[in-house]
Amino acid sequence: MADFAFSSHTTVHPDRLWVWRTGVYVDENDRTWVPIKVEEEDCPRVLMRQEDVPRGKPMRPSQLPPSVLPVMWQLYPGQRYRSSDSSFWRILYHIRVCGAEDLLLEQIPEP
């Protein structure tokens, strides 16, 4: 039987994620994150994956096309992020499996 190198563990959440250009965010440790899947049904969700990708040139928020995703997320207490538009996003999970780091966020509906 073959041996598989499988490891998983939760990891430290980024303090901030800033948009660099369309489809690329950067955290405070200069790591790049890409939105892999965006769902916009009742509650917007986004699966962010930490990947080393070419950054290209940074874009100003005014240069970005309209998006359901915010320009920035900042980590708040209670397993959530506050976005640049003042909405909150809960962390559904943040895990590293076999070297791939995924962060699943869901927008919290406003009361």
Side-chain angles (χ1 to χ4, degrees):
M1 192 168 195
D3 289 329
F4 293 99
F6 177 80
S7 67
S8 72
H9 65 276
T10 55
T11 186
V12 177
H13 308 310
D15 284 333
R16 289 183 181 85
L17 292 168
W18 295 274
V19 69
W20 184 262
R21 64 175 170 84
T22 303
V24 177
Y25 286 77
V26 177
D27 69 16
E28 69 280 1
N29 295 312
D30 214 30
R31 300 183 309 156
T32 51
W33 293 76
V34 294
I36 298 297
K37 184 174 183 182
V38 177
E39 296 176 5
E40 297 182 42
E41 296 173 8
D42 297 333
C43 283
R45 285 185 177 184
V46 60
L47 176 62
M48 300 291 288
R49 179 162 293 155
Q50 194 283 308
E51 289 184 3
D52 295 327
V53 297
R55 288 192 188 188
K57 293 183 179 181
M59 297 175 76
R60 293 186 186 113
S62 61
Q63 296 172 309
L64 296 167
S67 174
V68 68
L69 299 180
V71 174
M72 186 199 66
W73 281 289
Q74 181 175 347
L75 187 61
Y76 262 58
Q79 296 286 349
R80 62 190 178 147
Y81 282 93
R82 186 169 186 178
S83 67
S84 52
D85 66 1
S86 296
S87 63
F88 284 96
W89 295 67
R90 74 175 51 97
I91 300 169
L92 297 179
Y93 69 79
H94 184 186
I95 193 165
R96 181 179 299 163
V97 177
C98 299
E101 189 172 344
D102 287 346
L103 174 63
L104 182 61
L105 303 174
E106 177 181 67
Q107 190 173 20
I108 300 171
E110 292 186 27

